[in-house]
Amino acid sequence: MRAVIFDIDGTLLDSVDLHGRAWVEAFAHFGVETDQTEVRRQIGKGGDELMPVFLPRERLAREGGAIESYRSDLFKRKYLSEVRPFPAVRPLFERIRVGGLKIALASSGKRAEVERYQEILQIGDLVDVATSSDDADRSKPHPDIFEAAVKKFGGIDKDAMIVVGDTPYDAEAAGKAGLRTIGMLCGGFPEAELSAAGCVKIYRDPQDLLDGFDDSLLAST
């Protein structure tokens, strides 16, 4: 193992519920009634993949950009200050670096969000590569974001990389990119769904992965 690619929301940050609320409020602002539970299940996708679940094609074409822009601004204004890291993220990253592995972040969020998340997590000095929706034509569950991370690593075989994510969309996207996935339960998806999507191993949260690091796939050399 030479590199680890981490999703952020729901994997490293306790932010899924907050993103869900922002989407519900944004849809409501445009007169679209949605269910919090159903919206939450879509978090992990980018807006380009999430909005079609709740909007007809014609309206998406007409108002999708405005809804996404409103949602992004609302999240920054109202919810970003509430985002907190899950326990042991930095110690986990430090342990990974001690093991000689490189680290990438791969999020369906915008580049500015990913940069802000690194500040919240206090891991900027430990990250080698970061990709976002700005690096991809399509967001998860399409493989583009992970493929961008692989390309930025350059010269590392895919068999020597692994993805860590909290949603079936992470595992699906990673699988399409030829990568294996470790699942995290802290984002709220059931273990059965993560396994069905292709996760090869599942942990509760970053602390659990750190505690079991020596027996994990990350320790494979």
Side-chain angles (χ1 to χ4, degrees):
M1 196 63 62
R2 294 181 58 197
V4 192
I5 304 173
F6 281 92
D7 170 61
I8 302 176
D9 287 301
T11 300
L12 304 176
L13 287 175
D14 188 1
S15 56
V16 175
D17 285 332
L18 300 174
H19 278 293
R21 290 181 211 164
W23 273 112
V24 169
E25 289 187 36
F27 281 129
H29 180 78
F30 287 84
V32 180
E33 186 175 341
T34 54
D35 178 75
Q36 173 75 26
T37 301
E38 289 305 311
V39 171
R40 193 191 191 284
R41 287 185 56 80
Q42 301 301 318
I43 303 301
K45 299 178 178 179
D48 60 318
E49 293 293 320
L50 183 150
M51 286 189 290
V53 176
F54 304 100
L55 296 173
R57 182 179 302 175
E58 297 77 13
R59 188 164 188 187
L60 180 63
R62 187 173 66 250
E63 296 183 273
I67 294 173
E68 166 64 17
S69 179
Y70 182 88
R71 191 280 321 166
S72 179
D73 180 66
L74 175 66
F75 183 79
K76 292 173 188 174
R77 246 187 319 109
K78 186 173 179 179
Y79 294 109
L80 183 58
S81 62
E82 298 181 37
V83 172
R84 297 290 182 272
F86 287 118
V89 172
R90 183 172 176 88
L92 173 61
F93 276 38
E94 290 173 337
R95 178 65 183 85
I96 291 169
R97 294 303 296 267
V98 167
L101 282 71
K102 294 184 178 294
I103 296 173
L105 301 178
S107 170
S108 290
K110 300 293 185 182
R111 181 176 293 114
E113 293 177 5
V114 173
E115 291 173 354
R116 177 65 182 125
Y117 287 161
Q118 291 188 66
E119 295 175 6
I120 294 172
L121 290 161
Q122 299 182 347
I123 55 170
D125 58 316
L126 301 173
V127 173
D128 298 286
V129 167
T131 62
S132 67
S133 61
D134 299 288
D135 298 298
D137 293 328
R138 303 166 299 173
S139 67
K140 304 169 191 173
H142 296 288
D144 304 30
I145 291 169
F146 290 134
E147 289 175 343
V150 171
K151 185 176 181 179
K152 285 189 177 184
F153 272 136
I156 300 179
D157 192 277
K158 289 182 179 181
D159 288 339
M161 300 183 197
I162 197 157
V163 169
V164 181
D166 69 298
T167 74
Y169 316 123
D170 292 314
E172 184 180 344
K176 291 174 181 175
L179 300 165
R180 294 171 293 167
T181 302
I182 290 173
M184 291 286 195
L185 296 173
C186 45
F189 278 90
E191 184 171 354
E193 290 189 29
L194 296 179
S195 295
C199 290
V200 296
K201 183 71 176 177
I202 297 174
Y203 294 86
R204 290 190 306 275
D205 53 24
Q207 180 70 67
D208 190 31
L209 178 54
L210 177 61
D211 291 343
F213 190 92
D214 290 341
D215 296 318
S216 76
L217 290 168
L218 304 188
S220 302
T221 58

